[in-house]
Structure formats: structure tokens, C-alpha cells
Amino acid sequence: MENNSKLKVASLGSGSKGNATLVSNGEVTVMVDCGFTVKEVLKRLPRLNIEPNQIDGILVTHEHQDHISGVGALSRRFSIPVWSTRGSLLSGKCGNLPELNLIEGFQPFSVGSLNVTPLSVPHDAREPCQFVFTQDELRLAILTDLGCFTPKIVEQLTPCHGILLECNHDEEMLWSGSYPESLKQRVAGKMGHMSNRQAIELLQQMDRDSLQLVIATHLSEKNNCPKLVCELLAETLSWPTERLKIAEQELGFDWQELNLTSSGMAQSA
């Protein structure tokens, strides 16, 4: 019997000026983070052919402004439930929420028919997490905003059909760039952001046999170059550069679909 399981993912924008990612299994749609104003979200959603009332939940990774600033306002305006760790909520940046679901102990949970596994990650926030989404045998990982990866993280990514992977900076560009020394140290530290080199090392260590989709996310506008990232990832994966996607700050990326009937690269939905 043919298995038509599918997951799809899209982005409203990714970077230091705001982040919001949409994940859907066709029945349930969630937004991971909302670092944009409600006005900006309403401006960006139409190009993905989705209305705010179609969003079944907002999942928070951590409390930094570029990820959480719009969560409370969007949740209140459209009565969208929020999932967050207790640590992220302690920042107080979400305000009162119409419906709150605590992520406790990084235990798996479900939003309707969409299964979610939170991942504990090293980042300079109170209780940061990232997520793996599961639909039947399909698995999609969002892995951004972490200073380094651990053997446990690599283990949790196996198998993986799609991954949104932080490629924040090129190390040489960062250290020779204009950032203050303290900021350079923070970005490059084990609780900061992953470099291109670290992203490549992670891909080399994880099981890549099932990978259909790799999207580079959270690129620094000052300390990285999309062309460089695509070339490095393509070389690592032995993929053509056209197969790689970049999550852009202004445009994010359009819906990309994973499915178990696919024999190759993910397709635009």
C-alpha cells in the first residue's frame, strides 16, 4: 500500500531581524517562533497562501527578541495556543496568553495530529529548545540558535528527511569583521551560534541517507554569504547547489514538501 505521508515547511523570514517558520502535515499547521510584529506577519503570510486563523499553535524556541517579540500579540489577536518551556516564559515577553502549554522536561507532545519532539540545545537563553516534527515515518528537524552540537543532538536527528540548519557565520568573516570583540566572542562561543564549519561537521556526523531537504537558516547579514554557504553544503552532501535552500531575512522561503513517496529532492508545494 502506498504511503502518502507528508510534511511541509515554509518561512516568513530568518535572521537577526526576525524569525518565523511554518510546519504543516496537511491537517495541522504550527508556527515556530514569531519575531515579527502582527502587522508584519499579516503582510508576509499571504505569499504562503495561509490565513492567521489556520495556525493551530505557536511553538517557542527561546526568549530572544528576534524569536519571541510577536508571539504574545499574535496569540492574543487570533486566539492561538502557545507551547513554550517554563524558562522561556520567565522572560515575561509573551504577556498573558489565551492558552499556554508548557514543554516539560523536553518530553514529546502533539499539536493535533502533528507530533513534536523538543531538543535541548546549548544557547545563551533560559531554557532553549529546538524541534523535530514527525508524521508517521517522516521527520523534519529545525535546528537553529545553538552554539554547538552534542552527540545527543546528532542521535536525535537520526533518521531525518529534512533539516533547517543554522549556518550563522563564516568564522574568518566574523573575526575580521566590525563586530565588537565581546559580540564576536558571544557569537562564536559554545552558547552562541553555529558557524558554517560546525554545520558541515554536524551533517558529516548525522545519518544522511534519508535526507531530502536541507535549508540553511539564520545567516548573518554581515558575517556570511549565501553563495558560500550553498557551495559548502553542496560539497559536503554531494548535491548540486540548486538543491540547497537559504532561509532569507526578507523573503524566508516558500513551502517545501517532504514525502515518503519521494525518490529524491523535496519539491515546492
Side-chain angles (χ1 to χ4, degrees), residues 75 111 118 136 171 197 264:
S75 172
V111 183
D136 299 322
E171 292 172 347
R197 175 186 58 80

Side-chain angles (χ1 to χ4, degrees), residues 73-244:
L74 189 67
S75 172
R76 285 186 291 274
R77 180 160 174 182
F78 297 101
S79 299
I80 304 173
V82 171
W83 277 258
S84 173
T85 63
R86 193 179 301 273
S88 295
L89 286 173
L90 285 173
S91 67
K93 294 179 180 178
C94 288
N96 294 323
L97 297 169
E99 182 182 335
L100 170 63
N101 302 273
L102 282 177
I103 299 172
E104 298 275 19
F106 301 99
Q107 292 300 305
F109 61 93
S110 296
V111 183
S113 61
L114 183 63
N115 298 315
V116 187
T117 301
L119 310 181
S120 176
V121 296
H123 193 51
D124 54 357
R126 294 171 185 261
E127 194 180 5
C129 65
Q130 297 292 312
F131 300 106
V132 174
F133 297 89
T134 306
Q135 178 64 36
D136 299 322
E137 296 177 24
L138 272 177
R139 301 180 83 237
L140 168 70
I142 295 180
L143 194 67
T144 71
D145 291 76
L146 68 166
C148 61
F149 64 90
T150 63
K152 177 67 173 176
I153 290 172
V154 175
E155 177 186 333
Q156 290 173 301
L157 295 177
T158 302
C160 200
H161 298 84
I163 183 169
L164 277 62
L165 181 61
E166 177 169 55
C167 299
N168 178 258
H169 60 278
D170 172 80
E171 292 172 347
E172 183 177 343
M173 291 176 68
L174 174 67
W175 290 112
S176 63
S178 60
Y179 277 10
E181 186 66 22
S182 59
L183 182 55
K184 291 179 181 179
Q185 294 286 350
R186 176 196 167 253
V187 169
K190 290 186 177 181
M191 304 294 280
H193 293 276
M194 284 217 305
S195 67
N196 296 341
R197 175 186 58 80
Q198 289 171 300
I200 288 170
E201 289 175 355
L202 173 60
L203 287 171
Q204 290 171 335
Q205 291 188 30
M206 65 182 281
D207 183 348
R208 303 188 299 277
D209 289 346
S210 300
L211 270 180
Q212 300 175 25
L213 176 69
V214 175
I215 300 177
T217 65
H218 219 292
L219 273 67
S220 168
E221 293 181 298
K222 292 186 177 181
N223 300 309
N224 215 342
C225 169
K227 183 175 184 291
L228 172 64
V229 172
C230 281
E231 290 174 350
L232 290 172
L233 294 181
E235 181 180 1
T236 302
L237 296 164
S238 297
W239 288 6
T241 54
E242 309 83 62
R243 188 170 172 181
L244 278 304

